Amino acid sequence: MTRNVGSTERFVRVGIAVVAAIAAAPASGWPRAALRAVATAGLATGLTRFCPVNQAIGRDSSRQLSPLDPDPIAP
């Protein structure tokens, strides 16, 4: 399993997962299930840095330079 989720996308995914989990707490029924699914998927893909949808469409953001990554030019 190769990484295909970059640093910026990773933090966005985890952030969305946290917001969805918080929003799911007071909800009930199908909205709660949907929010939990979004939270689970976002957390799983953010932590593993692998997304099967990205792989299926040939997208790889892990090779892009991110403002969240350490400066590659700095010593």
Side-chain angles (χ1 to χ4, degrees):
M1 185 165 53
T2 60
R3 291 181 177 175
N4 63 5
V5 174
S7 295
T8 303
E9 185 178 352
R10 174 179 154 196
F11 286 110
V12 169
R13 285 173 183 260
V14 172
I16 289 172
V18 169
V19 169
I22 291 170
S28 63
W30 70 266
R32 184 177 200 167
L35 287 167
R36 283 184 173 179
V38 168
T40 302
L43 195 59
T45 58
L47 293 178
T48 61
R49 297 185 77 173
F50 174 77
C51 178
V53 174
N54 280 0
Q55 184 181 26
I57 62 174
R59 184 171 184 271
D60 185 359
S61 65
S62 67
R63 303 198 192 293
Q64 296 172 353
L65 206 54
S66 168
L68 301 173
D69 288 332
D71 188 7
I73 299 171

